[in-house]
Amino acid sequence: MQASPQDFAENPDQQDFLQPIDRTDRMIPAIEFRDVELSFDDKKILDGVSFEVRKGETKIILGRSGGGKSTIIRMILGLLKPDAGQILVDGEDITAYTEKEMMGVRQHIGMVFQEGALFDSLSVYENVAYRLHEQHIDEETVEKEVRRMLRFVDLEDAIDKMPIELSGGMRRRVGIARALVGDPTIVMFDEPTAGLDPPTARTICELAIKLRDLEDVSSIFVTHEMNNLDYLSSEYATVDDDGNVIFEEEGEKICMINTRVMMLRDGKIIFSGSDEELRRTEDPYILRFIRGK
Amino acid sequence: MNPLKKFLFELQEISILSFGALMALFTKPRYIPETIKQMDLVGVGSLPIVILTGFFTGGVLVLQTFPTLSYYSAQGQAGEAVATALVRELGPVLCALMVSGRIGSAISAELGSMVVSQQIDAMRALGTDPVRKLVAPRIFALILLLPLLTVAADVFGIIGGGVIASNIYNQDTNVFITSVRNGIETQDILGGIIKPVFFGLIIGGVSCYRGLSTRGGTVGVGLSTTSAVVQGSIAVIIFDFFLSKALQTILDLGRL
């Protein structure tokens, strides 16, 4: 994760960001699927799925429950292995990686689970610090990093609470903070707004927008809620003169919001493109999905 | 999947899981605080029920065998009968069954809940191997502490037998103690300590596998817990037979 403008203001040593940056590695997709197939028993879960997520891009994966959306992100993490095809992360073919080799890949990937998947026996602090404690980093650095991440999700006050004391939305936000520790270059959201009230769902989407526009994180956002798509594809985050993060609507301005949409149906990609293209489609299945009737 | 195929598949998975957990003990990272926590749960937590089980089992053995031994004027052998039965067989098996019920169910329910709430996936996503972090400490704690709990069950069983013999049948305590000392040999004690090592591995392997293979939400957690206790207990009893036979041969135990 790159430093925010506030960080630069606080720490002048980091101002070497003004130096020229080698952009050649940005040509390599953060995630690439090549003709991936997966079946459970006789049921095809993924059928020849190919797509790529570019560096800094947010890919929204839409589709009905059970359509294979969550399977895709589980495969990127190596929690499931494909029957055929290739999966590349930062240009590295991870398809045949062992569990041990995957541990290294997972260090660069953050994952936000549907219900947060916080460890019940650990406090919010210990949950967010989990990855750092595993790496035996000194406690002072850990606390600094945990507080920074909890500030990012606006939950620093909950640092000493146990997961059971948190609301659903707070659990997801702690889950996001935990996923962001260690500055992953790829973050995956598995239906992070499912079952949340609209303002909390909006907060979660804002966090994803901040990650995309201010932190240059590549992400996959699995959802079946159309308002998530609206937020992520029509708004962008920027920093005002006072250093505050603000969200602006695309409106009539010409701007390139770095978000692409993909839709799955029965394990196959039936749409891939921008949100405008999605709304212009005449496919009856997609139209029914968008309109909900 | 037909039942035989399913059984063989599960046996293979449990073996792989247990082997992986044992191998994890020899390489870093090791989770020592988690292991100590599990040792506390298995050892200290199970001690009261194991002591009670041992004490009353020893007592009931004397209660049931004393009249028969008296009929043959062999009441002086009561201590030997209780000690041999407890140290060779009842101590290890009863202790394993109690621990299977208490700890096996707890392990399976805890891991099962972690599976259905995606905590295991989260752990893997955060770069931690659940076998190393969760399975290895539990199996290690069971392997290490089940023999110690068995010793406690044996000792309190003999004490229970002695209490009944002296208080109900008015046998002199020294006669009972002498009979116990004459009755058990080093091989008996050795066999009685070797058995629970394997039982610990069985209970740990079965309950961890059941927990980690939980499917289907909270109902699945309930099913896993039941399966862990039932299968763990049955496996202990079946394996006990073959282990007893093997120890008979190796340690020259219980020959006629």
Side-chain angles (χ1 to χ4, degrees), chain A residues 74 77-79 99 103 106-107 109 111 113-114 117-120 130-131 134 178 190, chain B residues 29 31 37 110 113-114 117-130 133:
Chain A
R74 288 171 66 82
L77 281 169
L79 303 177
E99 184 71 12
M103 291 298 175
R106 288 171 189 155
Q107 299 294 334
I109 304 175
M111 170 81 191
F113 287 88
Q114 204 169 343
L118 301 182
F119 302 123
D120 293 333
Y130 187 86
R131 202 195 284 257
E134 288 290 295
R178 184 177 68 180
D190 186 8
Chain B
Y31 295 91
K37 190 180 150 199
E110 188 184 0
S113 303
M114 289 181 80
S117 60
Q118 292 187 304
Q119 290 177 50
I120 299 288
D121 282 345
M123 195 173 272
R124 288 172 72 191
L126 289 163
T128 304
D129 180 1
K133 168 106 179 169

Side-chain angles (χ1 to χ4, degrees), chain A residues 6 10 14 134 141 143 165 202 204 215 224 245 281:
Chain A
Q6 275 171 311
E10 286 166 11
Q14 291 184 8
E134 288 290 295
T141 315
E143 188 175 347
E165 300 173 74
R202 159 85 196 176
I204 303 282
E215 313 287 355
H224 54 243
V245 178
T281 184

Side-chain angles (χ1 to χ4, degrees), chain B residues 160-173:
Chain B
V163 169
I164 299 299
S166 66
N167 287 299
I168 295 184
Y169 297 110
N170 299 317
Q171 189 179 53
D172 187 77
T173 311

Side-chain angles (χ1 to χ4, degrees), chain A:
Chain A
M1 194 186 297
Q2 289 180 351
S4 67
Q6 275 171 311
D7 290 339
F8 289 130
E10 286 166 11
N11 189 356
D13 293 345
Q14 291 184 8
Q15 292 190 359
D16 60 0
F17 74 101
L18 294 171
Q19 299 303 314
I21 299 167
D22 180 11
R23 296 278 176 187
T24 47
D25 72 315
R26 295 192 69 80
M27 304 302 288
I28 302 166
I31 298 162
E32 190 177 358
F33 269 49
R34 292 180 185 163
D35 222 11
V36 171
E37 289 184 16
L38 179 75
S39 301
F40 289 145
D41 297 325
D42 294 332
K43 196 184 175 219
K44 276 229 161 181
I45 306 296
L46 294 181
D47 190 1
V49 169
S50 298
F51 70 92
E52 59 178 50
V53 181
R54 288 171 297 156
K55 295 263 164 71
E57 181 182 83
T58 294
K59 175 82 85 182
I60 301 176
I61 305 182
L62 295 169
R64 281 187 181 169
S65 300
K69 307 187 298 293
S70 299
T71 307
I72 286 179
I73 49 182
R74 288 171 66 82
M75 283 180 144
I76 297 164
L77 281 169
L79 303 177
L80 283 172
K81 292 283 176 196
D83 296 335
Q86 281 180 301
I87 300 168
L88 289 89
V89 174
D90 286 329
E92 208 176 329
D93 187 352
I94 62 154
T95 321
Y97 271 21
T98 60
E99 184 71 12
K100 202 174 171 185
E101 289 170 319
M102 275 313 295
M103 291 298 175
V105 178
R106 288 171 189 155
Q107 299 294 334
H108 313 292
I109 304 175
M111 170 81 191
V112 180
F113 287 88
Q114 204 169 343
E115 303 285 343
L118 301 182
F119 302 123
D120 293 333
S121 55
L122 306 181
S123 67
V124 167
Y125 175 84
E126 290 166 323
N127 262 286
V128 178
Y130 187 86
R131 202 195 284 257
L132 302 174
H133 280 154
E134 288 290 295
Q135 292 165 358
H136 304 291
I137 291 169
D138 69 277
E139 203 56 43
E140 201 180 325
T141 315
V142 170
E143 188 175 347
K144 211 171 144 192
E145 182 68 4
V146 169
R147 286 191 180 278
R148 183 171 78 92
M149 282 309 150
L150 285 173
R151 264 199 301 278
F152 184 79
V153 297
D154 201 17
L155 270 180
E156 202 182 352
D157 295 342
I159 194 164
D160 294 321
K161 289 190 173 170
M162 294 302 285
I164 194 83
E165 300 173 74
L166 304 177
S167 68
M170 288 162 92
R171 290 171 72 94
R172 314 269 171 110
R173 278 149 69 196
V174 174
I176 292 174
R178 184 177 68 180
L180 300 182
V181 164
D183 297 343
T185 52
I186 298 167
V187 176
M188 293 185 292
F189 297 86
D190 186 8
E191 301 194 21
T193 61
L196 294 182
D197 59 275
T200 313
R202 159 85 196 176
T203 310
I204 303 282
C205 290
E206 283 179 355
L207 290 172
I209 294 171
K210 267 161 74 177
L211 280 176
R212 179 193 66 198
D213 298 339
L214 304 178
E215 313 287 355
D216 193 33
V217 166
S218 315
S219 59
I220 288 185
F221 198 101
V222 167
T223 184
H224 54 243
E225 292 177 36
M226 289 307 292
N227 61 359
N228 292 176
L229 171 72
D230 296 339
Y231 294 141
L232 287 162
S233 60
S234 66
E235 293 187 34
Y236 60 92
T238 185
V239 179
D240 67 11
D241 297 337
D242 300 327
N244 298 318
V245 178
I246 53 167
F247 297 91
E248 294 198 349
E249 288 208 27
E250 178 185 30
E252 296 302 313
K253 282 175 274 186
I254 299 171
C255 66
M256 296 291 286
I257 290 182
N258 206 357
T259 297
R260 306 285 290 173
V261 189
M262 187 173 102
M263 191 173 222
L264 286 176
R265 184 186 182 183
D266 300 330
K268 284 186 180 169
I269 297 174
I270 57 166
F271 174 83
S272 184
S274 66
D275 64 308
E276 288 90 355
E277 286 167 331
L278 182 79
R279 287 174 212 285
R280 281 201 300 270
T281 184
E282 288 180 6
D283 184 309
Y285 178 86
I286 298 175
L287 285 174
R288 194 158 169 245
F289 191 93
I290 294 173
R291 292 173 188 161
K293 59 182 181 181

